[in-house]
């Protein structure tokens, strides 16, 4: 996304409380233009702070995408069916209705119309939806003749986004951020209804994490070693692998239901659905797994930290008198 030529056209500010605490929704009656200094702060803070591949999401709905409120409202605006003020009021009412959780703080809602963006092929407009929940304290120096004094002011830091979204003119893509998401995930899940768009790095990380969990569920130490060796050999010899390919390999060691459960749990945690046949870079996955798999279980709750040039071949357990337990390990140098 290219934003070097972007401009702030107009904006609307509303104040959104928490209805569960009896706080009101205060709607502005006018969209305003902003002076150049304010526009520069918004572009350098809010816009630059949200346009990132790590913050790329996609609107969704269980039955029909057009039933997603934010997506539907933005389409109406970009088609010219509603103006910016009406759009912003609909967004504010929707946010107010979704702000019932006790941890959701009241805040100022900014709905900003940006122009001059580009996806590389065509110019784009975009709608910025930002909620400022935290006000910072500032010191200002006041000059009066030959006397300098210090006064206190409270305001919004545009370089610190509490909650934000950038809705693009074309398609269901949205950039989003929620700095307080660990307290109440309503911004992404309930308000935006947006799912993260996976990239190759996050997808590879997800699959590697599932492989690590599967290895821990293999009770036989030797079977666990064989599984790890098979996965590592594939990742080191092939330039790309897929989640489906890794899943089929895992099903030779644990039940398919376990594999599906772990992939589903990881997808929910990462916030996106994984495409089973999508090619993923194997070398990065191998490096991550090699680091985590240097620790090898040998049974009885005991693990060994093995260098990468050694692999476990056999474990023999000998029980002696007085509860003595002797482990005989056979290692192979690669």
């Amino acid at each position: 996304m290219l934003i070097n030529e972007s401009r702030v056209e107009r904006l609307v500010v509303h104040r959104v409380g928490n209805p569960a605490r009896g706080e009101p929704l205060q709607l502005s009656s006018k969209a305003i233009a902003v002076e150049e200094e304010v526009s520069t702060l918004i572009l350098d803070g809010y816009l630059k702070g949200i346009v990132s591949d790590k913050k790329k999401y996609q609107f969704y709905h269980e039955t029909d995408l057009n039933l997603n409120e934010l997506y539907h409202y933005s389409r109406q605006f970009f088609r010219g069916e509603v103006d910016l003020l009406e759009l912003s009021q609909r967004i504010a009412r929707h946010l107010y209705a979704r702000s019932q959780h006790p941890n959701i703080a009241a805040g100022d809602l900014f709905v900003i119309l940006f122009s001059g963006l580009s996806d590389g092929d065509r110019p784009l407009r975009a709608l910025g939806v930002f909620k400022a929940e935290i006000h910072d304290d500032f010191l200002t120096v006041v000059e009066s003749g030959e006397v300098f004094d210090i006064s206190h002011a409270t305001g919004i830091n545009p370089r610190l986004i509490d909650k934000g979204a950038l809705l693009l003119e074309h398609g269901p893509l949205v950039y989003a951020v929620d700095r307080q998401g660990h307290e109440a995930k309503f911004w992404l899940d309930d308000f935006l209804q947006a799912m993260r768009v996976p990239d190759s790095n996050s997808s590879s990380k997800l699959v590697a994490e599932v492989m690590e969990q599967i290895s821990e569920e293999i009770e036989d130490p030797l079977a666990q070693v064989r599984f790890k060796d098979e996965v590592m050999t594939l990742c080191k010899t092939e330039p790309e692998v897929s989640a489906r390919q890794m899943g089929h390999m895992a099903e030779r060691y644990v039940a398919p239901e376990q594999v599906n459960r772990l992939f589903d749990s990881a997808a929910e945690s990462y916030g996106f659905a994984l495409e089973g046949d999508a090619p993923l870079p194997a070398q990065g996955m191998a490096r991550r797994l090699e680091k985590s798999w240097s620790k090898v279980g040998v049974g009885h709750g005991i693990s060994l930290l093995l260098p990468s040039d050694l692999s476990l071949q056999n474990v023999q357990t000998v029980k002696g008198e007085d509860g003595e337990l002797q482990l005989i390990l056979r290692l192979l140098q690669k």
Side-chain angles (χ1 to χ4, degrees):
M1 181 63 60
L2 304 177
I3 61 173
N4 294 336
E5 303 298 325
S6 56
R7 300 178 299 278
V8 175
E9 296 291 341
R10 287 170 297 152
L11 67 81
V12 187
V13 183
H14 304 294
R15 185 154 293 164
V16 181
N18 187 324
R21 293 195 294 263
E23 298 169 349
L25 169 64
Q26 298 172 268
L27 297 176
S28 176
S29 61
K30 185 178 180 180
I32 59 173
V34 297
E35 57 188 32
E36 185 176 348
E37 291 82 0
V38 175
S39 176
T40 299
L41 285 173
I42 290 174
L43 293 173
D44 289 344
Y46 282 158
L47 186 60
K48 286 185 179 179
I50 201 168
V51 176
S52 165
D53 286 342
K54 295 181 179 179
K55 299 169 184 174
K56 192 179 292 185
Y57 290 77
Q58 182 172 312
F59 286 121
Y60 75 91
H61 192 274
E62 292 81 359
T63 56
D64 184 349
L65 184 58
N66 289 306
L67 297 178
N68 180 302
E69 284 88 347
L70 265 293
Y71 178 76
H72 177 63
Y73 296 156
S74 65
R75 295 312 100 189
Q76 287 183 313
F77 172 78
F78 288 127
R79 290 196 300 261
E81 297 171 5
V82 296
D83 61 17
L84 182 64
L85 178 62
E86 174 63 24
L87 165 78
S88 70
Q89 291 176 344
R90 292 184 184 184
I91 292 175
R93 292 189 187 99
H94 175 58
L95 177 59
Y96 186 67
R98 296 296 185 274
S99 299
Q100 301 280 350
H101 192 283
N103 288 342
I104 297 174
D108 297 313
L109 179 70
F110 298 84
V111 179
I112 307 169
L113 174 60
F114 295 102
S115 64
L117 291 80
S118 172
D119 60 3
D121 297 321
R122 56 187 172 179
L124 294 173
R125 293 178 296 166
L127 289 164
V129 180
F130 300 93
K131 186 187 178 192
E133 297 177 339
I134 299 175
H135 287 142
D136 289 336
D137 293 324
F138 301 95
L139 294 176
T140 60
V141 177
V142 181
E143 180 181 0
S144 178
E146 297 181 354
V147 178
F148 293 91
D149 197 3
I150 293 179
S151 66
H152 166 266
T154 301
I156 297 168
N157 185 348
R159 291 182 173 83
L160 196 61
I161 302 174
D162 294 326
K163 290 176 171 60
L166 187 70
L167 291 58
L168 303 184
E169 184 171 6
H170 304 293
L173 185 67
V174 57
Y175 292 92
V177 62
D178 182 1
R179 195 160 60 93
Q180 267 77 40
H182 59 281
E183 297 180 5
K185 296 184 178 180
F186 88 104
W187 184 260
L188 290 170
D189 296 346
D190 299 331
F191 174 61
L192 293 176
Q193 281 191 282
M195 180 179 293
R196 188 177 173 187
V197 175
D199 55 24
S200 60
N201 181 59
S202 59
S203 297
S204 297
K205 186 177 178 182
L206 184 154
V207 174
E209 186 174 300
V210 172
M211 293 299 104
E212 291 170 4
Q213 293 172 349
I214 288 172
S215 71
E216 294 174 1
E217 297 201 5
I218 301 174
E219 296 181 0
D220 182 356
L222 295 182
Q224 186 185 87
V225 169
R226 287 196 301 271
F227 169 71
K228 291 179 178 180
D229 286 344
E230 192 174 340
V231 171
M232 291 301 299
T233 298
L234 178 66
C235 290
K236 288 184 175 181
T237 56
E238 298 291 336
E240 294 177 332
V241 295
S242 70
R244 195 181 309 279
Q245 191 176 10
M246 302 293 269
H248 287 330
M249 185 183 301
E251 289 174 2
R252 295 200 292 271
Y253 295 88
V254 298
E257 295 78 13
Q258 286 178 276
V259 176
N260 293 333
R261 173 179 56 81
L262 291 172
F263 268 110
D264 290 343
S265 176
E268 183 177 351
S269 174
Y270 275 70
F272 60 79
L274 192 66
E275 294 184 18
D277 293 320
L280 303 174
Q283 295 301 316
M285 198 178 303
R287 286 192 296 270
R288 175 185 172 89
L289 291 173
E290 193 168 41
K291 183 178 180 180
S292 66
W293 279 351
S294 59
K295 184 178 179 182
V296 178
V298 294
H300 307 283
I302 301 172
S303 297
L304 298 177
L305 194 62
L306 295 180
S308 59
D309 62 337
L310 289 179
S311 65
L312 181 67
Q313 297 297 299
N314 192 16
V315 179
Q316 183 179 355
T317 302
V318 179
K319 292 184 179 180
E321 297 179 356
D322 300 325
E324 181 184 276
L325 189 66
Q326 184 179 23
L327 297 179
I328 302 174
L329 309 179
R330 188 164 67 90
L331 304 175
L332 176 66
Q333 189 166 25
K334 301 177 183 178

